[in-house]
């Protein structure tokens, strides 16, 4: 069945690959990105070209998750053109690299705004329609860093992703009785195929960053090399997009709560399995086990 889908952060990486894959699967896909008439004009043009060449319904839409007006307008446009929204995918995110102390509080707030508060803006714009429909799917693209082994120098990003994961878990329970399902996608540290590392932000306090270089010089190069060594040859970032397509196309009520795509195996799948089991057991103990699945 063809579904209407809105995805944030779809100009490149996981977002662009997922938009293509969902359109290829026969869905109507709105690829949200910032500046479709500006700095992302080329990405918007590429999406249009892909749609035309592959005869799929892939549309770009202006969507800046850090701006309330942009978020509200994007959702209104989808509803006006399609009359419904079936799937909301939270994919927008931004990575930063550097010692935690060297990031200013304002920088920390900015990364949290993009990765966490932006999902809240988008939810508040879209969920009223899904609740009225008594149906829908919310997909959160998280990170294995929330519970797997993690290197240093990524603290602001890891903290934001952990915040988003916690928000997703609570939303899953609060939306279940409205018939809205939740899946958290958990990608690992793919070293190629995305622009996360290339486009990552740097700390503003260069003096503090320099102080850390005295003890941690070359640390990120070491981490990058080791991660590349851990990643098997068959690792393909497109598997994340394929996993999302599988979730979207799975029958309601049978979708997994969490899906890991982590070729390097940082341990997140093991820890999440325990955490999710404890969560489910607690809900049964307090008589809320109906919240583990969406109302049909």
């Amino acid at each position: 069945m063809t579904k209407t889908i809105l995805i944030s952060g779809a100009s490149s990486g996981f977002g662009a690959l997922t938009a293509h894959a969902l359109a290829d699967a026969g869905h109507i896909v709105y690829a949200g990105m910032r500046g479709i008439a500006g700095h992302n004009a080329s990405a918007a043009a590429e999406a249009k070209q892909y749609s035309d060449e592959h005869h799929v319904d892939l549309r770009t839409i202006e969507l800046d998750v850090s701006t309330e007006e942009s978020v509200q307008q994007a959702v209104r446009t989808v509803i006006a053109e399609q009359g419904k929204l079936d799937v909301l995918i939270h994919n927008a995110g931004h990575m930063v690299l550097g010692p935690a102390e060297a990031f200013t509080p304002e920088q920390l707030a900015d990364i949290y705004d993009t990765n966490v508060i932006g999902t809240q803006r988008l939810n508040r714009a879209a969920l009223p329609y899904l609740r009225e429909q008594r149906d829908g799917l919310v997909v959160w693209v998280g990170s294995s860093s929330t519970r797997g082994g993690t290197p240093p120098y990524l603290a602001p990003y890891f903290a934001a992703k952990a915040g988003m994961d916690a928000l997703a878990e609570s939303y899953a329970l609060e939306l279940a009785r409205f018939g809205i399902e939740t899946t958290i996608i958990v990608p690992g540290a793919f070293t190629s195929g995305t622009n996360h590392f290339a486009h990552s932000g740097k700390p503003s306090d260069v003096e503090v960053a320099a102080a850390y270089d005295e003890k941690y010089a070359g640390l990120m190069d070491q981490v990058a090399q080791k991660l590349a060594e851990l990643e098997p040859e068959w690792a393909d970032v497109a598997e994340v997009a394929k996993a999302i397509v599988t979730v979207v196309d799975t029958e309601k009520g049978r979708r997994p709560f969490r899906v890991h795509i982590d070729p390097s195996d940082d341990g997140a799948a093991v820890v999440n399995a325990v955490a999710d089991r404890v969560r489910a057991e607690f809900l049964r103990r307090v008589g809320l086990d109906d919240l583990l699945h969406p109302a049909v």
Side-chain angles (χ1 to χ4, degrees), residues 2-18:
T2 298
K3 295 180 175 64
T4 298
I5 301 170
L6 174 61
I7 175 170
S8 66
S11 62
S12 63
F14 294 147
L17 289 169
T18 300

Side-chain angles (χ1 to χ4, degrees), residues 24 37 57 74 83 106 110 124 148 159 164 181 203 205 207 224 231 240 263:
D24 288 341
D57 199 340
E106 292 76 16
D110 284 344
R124 283 176 54 80
M164 192 197 81
E181 201 158 18
D205 194 329
E207 184 176 341
E231 191 171 274
V240 176

Side-chain angles (χ1 to χ4, degrees), residues 5-292:
I5 301 170
L6 174 61
I7 175 170
S8 66
S11 62
S12 63
F14 294 147
L17 289 169
T18 300
H20 291 174
L22 288 167
D24 288 341
H27 301 294
I28 301 169
V29 182
Y30 285 80
M33 58 186 79
R34 297 181 300 167
I36 59 176
H39 69 279
N40 272 326
S42 60
E46 288 171 6
K48 177 65 165 61
Q49 182 179 356
Y50 188 92
S51 181
D52 292 341
E53 291 180 354
H54 292 79
H55 306 290
V56 296
D57 199 340
L58 173 59
R59 315 176 186 201
T60 57
I61 189 168
E62 182 69 30
L63 176 56
D64 181 351
V65 297
S66 67
T67 304
E68 182 73 20
E69 181 181 354
S70 176
V71 169
Q72 292 287 343
Q73 183 56 52
V75 173
R76 285 196 297 265
T77 297
V78 174
I79 297 299
E81 293 181 0
Q82 304 300 327
K84 64 171 185 171
L85 175 61
D86 300 303
V87 182
L88 178 64
I89 302 178
H90 292 300
N91 175 72
H94 182 55
M95 180 181 285
V96 294
L97 296 173
E101 185 188 346
F103 289 93
T104 65
E106 292 76 16
Q107 283 188 293
L108 205 64
D110 284 344
I111 193 69
Y112 197 85
D113 187 274
T114 299
N115 289 278
V116 186
I117 299 176
T119 66
Q120 179 70 352
R121 292 189 185 96
L122 193 49
N123 273 349
R124 283 176 54 80
L127 290 180
Y129 298 101
L130 272 64
R131 286 190 287 105
E132 185 178 1
Q133 295 167 180
R134 293 294 190 269
D135 190 33
L137 168 66
V138 181
V139 177
W140 306 68
V141 181
S143 170
S144 63
S145 65
T146 58
R147 290 197 176 104
T150 57
Y153 274 35
L154 285 155
Y157 176 72
F158 288 166
K161 280 299 185 182
M164 192 197 81
D165 191 277
L167 195 62
E169 288 188 348
S170 289
Y171 258 116
L173 305 178
E174 295 173 13
L175 296 175
R177 289 179 180 171
F178 290 101
I180 301 169
E181 201 158 18
T182 295
T183 293
I184 303 172
I185 302 293
V186 189
F190 287 91
T191 57
S192 62
T194 73
N195 295 322
H196 286 326
F197 288 95
H199 292 169
S200 59
K202 306 299 180 186
S204 293
D205 194 329
V206 294
E207 184 176 341
V208 170
Y212 276 82
D213 280 343
E214 294 180 15
K215 298 291 185 181
Y216 292 86
L219 181 141
M220 286 313 300
D221 290 336
Q222 176 187 347
V223 169
Q225 179 184 342
K226 290 299 183 181
L227 284 176
E229 292 173 2
L230 287 174
E231 191 171 274
E233 292 183 2
W234 50 264
D236 184 358
V237 70
E239 292 300 316
V240 176
K242 292 178 183 177
I244 294 175
V245 172
T246 297
V247 168
V248 169
D249 287 344
T250 296
E251 180 184 353
K252 180 179 179 179
R254 296 182 177 276
R255 294 179 176 117
F257 175 62
R258 201 183 294 271
V259 179
H260 294 82
I261 311 95
D262 182 18
S264 301
D265 189 15
D266 66 11
V270 175
V271 180
N272 275 324
V274 175
D276 291 341
R277 187 185 73 240
V278 170
R279 168 180 173 271
E281 289 174 352
F282 174 78
L283 289 167
R284 294 187 183 99
R285 288 168 58 199
V286 297
L288 293 175
D289 48 309
D290 71 294
L291 304 183
L292 292 170

